[in-house]
Amino acid sequence: MVEWTEFERSTIQSIFSKLDYDVAGGKALARCLVVYPWTQRYFGSFGNLYNATAIMGNPKVAAHGKVVLQGLDRAVKNMDNIKATYAELSVLHSEKLHVDPDNFKLLADCLTIVVAAQMGAAFTAEVQAAFQKFLAVAVSSLCRQYH
Amino acid sequence: MLLPLEEIGIIMSLSAKDKAVVKAFWAKAATKADDIGSDALSRMLVVYPQTKTYFSHWKDLSPGSAPVRKHGKTVMGGVAEAVAKIDNLTSGLLTLSELHAFTLRVDPANFKILSHNLLVVLANQFPDDFTPEVHVAMDKFLSALALALSERYR
């Protein structure tokens, strides 16, 4: 089981409470599709992803980014049980969506960048460590049901 | 010395546009190079504690300490040199590669870690300028830099 310090718990709750799920998720996903264009392979039905401008303005990208953040929110609300919380999601990503799990890390890195840009000086090294630890646990839990 | 991307047959060289974007962004960021270097190193040592193993000879590994600040400056000097030699990183960084390969013997996996922290600092300090387009160009540049640094390893 993952051990969280008080600092880590409060930092994660604080960061997510300040995130606009309507905006931040879409930004992170758009950034992922631009910076790591091979991730576009999972979004053939999203229409125009031909260039950065199109991606950043694509409403389906924005909507799906929100879905992703709502998924992360479940982990935020169940920090002591992320593995169990994500069991079904893991099966979904593996057996139905067939997502290469390496992509989870890429999206996590993009979310870190978005949060770093938003938080300014408040995004200290310690805060970054807590945030990345949380994302690493979420990613690991999502990978759990891949066989 | 193959880094994961090269192993799977993807060699992503820098386009003319990438180079232009990197140079333009670097022109803005260079004025704060020392702070950027110190901040990136500080974060690396905190977020990836295994990297501290390379600095056991320092008295103080805390964020913003004197040795961290000094070394951050050194690292950014290398990045600046790479920007100037962006048209031929492999030959341009040969001496630095030999230093890292034969003297420092830094596991090249750590180049990726430091690159990530550099990108985090750039996003943090230049939130309006570090757009996704700048992000992808800088990520490609730092990957190419890391590859050039690995050139002499074996």
Side-chain angles (χ1 to χ4, degrees):
Chain A
M1 189 173 111
V2 182
E3 304 228 353
W4 303 100
T5 64
E6 269 318 303
F7 173 79
E8 286 166 346
R9 285 181 196 276
S10 59
T11 296
I12 298 306
Q13 300 302 321
S14 169
I15 292 176
F16 278 88
S17 72
K18 296 190 176 105
L19 276 182
D20 182 348
Y21 285 19
D22 283 335
V23 170
K27 276 189 177 170
L29 183 57
R31 198 167 274 261
C32 189
L33 295 169
V34 170
V35 179
Y36 310 106
W38 53 93
T39 57
Q40 292 170 24
R41 74 190 304 284
Y42 302 107
F43 303 104
S45 66
F46 275 26
N48 188 354
L49 297 178
Y50 299 133
N51 53 51
T53 313
I55 291 170
M56 280 144 70
N58 186 313
K60 287 189 173 179
V61 171
H64 195 66
K66 185 175 172 179
V67 166
V68 168
L69 268 198
Q70 285 167 336
L72 277 174
D73 187 70
R74 290 172 57 190
V76 174
K77 295 193 157 65
N78 291 282
M79 280 178 72
D80 289 314
N81 212 358
I82 297 178
K83 195 166 73 180
T85 305
Y86 274 5
E88 277 177 30
L89 267 178
S90 180
V91 171
L92 173 77
H93 283 75
S94 161
E95 295 181 16
K96 186 141 180 278
L97 304 175
H98 306 293
V99 178
D100 181 343
D102 197 59
N103 293 287
F104 302 148
K105 182 160 192 319
L106 300 180
L107 182 55
D109 283 348
C110 285
L111 184 58
T112 301
I113 297 272
V114 166
V115 169
Q118 189 175 308
M119 285 183 68
F123 197 66
T124 62
E126 289 78 11
V127 167
Q128 181 185 341
F131 190 66
Q132 289 196 207
K133 176 177 169 179
F134 171 77
L135 289 179
V137 172
V139 164
S140 168
S141 302
L142 261 185
C143 292
R144 226 36 184 76
Q145 301 301 325
Y146 276 72
H147 304 293
Chain B
M1 174 88 228
L2 292 179
L3 293 182
L5 290 172
E6 206 181 11
E7 272 179 54
I8 55 175
I10 300 177
I11 305 206
M12 297 182 279
S13 48
L14 298 172
S15 67
K17 183 179 171 203
D18 291 328
K19 294 179 191 178
V21 170
V22 168
K23 284 185 186 170
F25 181 73
W26 180 251
K28 283 185 198 157
T31 49
K32 295 173 82 179
D34 291 354
D35 284 337
I36 293 169
S38 171
D39 196 0
L41 259 184
S42 299
R43 286 172 190 279
M44 184 187 81
L45 295 167
V46 168
V47 182
Y48 303 87
Q50 69 271 21
T51 58
K52 294 196 289 188
T53 55
Y54 290 97
F55 305 104
S56 51
H57 55 288
W58 285 357
K59 280 205 185 90
D60 186 356
L61 284 162
S62 57
S65 70
V68 169
R69 291 204 64 81
K70 180 165 179 258
H71 197 62
K73 200 170 163 174
T74 304
V75 167
M76 292 311 279
V79 173
E81 190 183 339
V83 174
K85 296 176 178 175
I86 201 169
D87 288 316
N88 204 334
L89 287 170
T90 311
S91 59
L93 299 182
L94 222 37
T95 314
L96 269 177
S97 179
E98 283 171 357
L99 173 72
H100 285 77
F102 304 134
T103 309
L104 303 175
R105 285 179 288 197
V106 176
D107 188 325
N110 294 291
F111 300 153
K112 207 165 191 286
I113 292 176
L114 180 56
S115 295
H116 167 74
N117 285 289
L118 272 167
L119 294 174
V120 166
V121 170
L122 293 175
N124 185 254
Q125 301 218 9
F126 303 93
D128 298 322
D129 296 303
F130 199 68
T131 61
E133 288 117 314
V134 169
H135 181 169
V136 62
M138 286 304 296
D139 192 22
K140 285 179 74 175
F141 166 66
L142 291 174
S143 301
L145 209 182
L147 204 54
L149 271 184
S150 310
E151 179 68 25
R152 302 290 288 152
Y153 267 66
R154 54 177 175 172

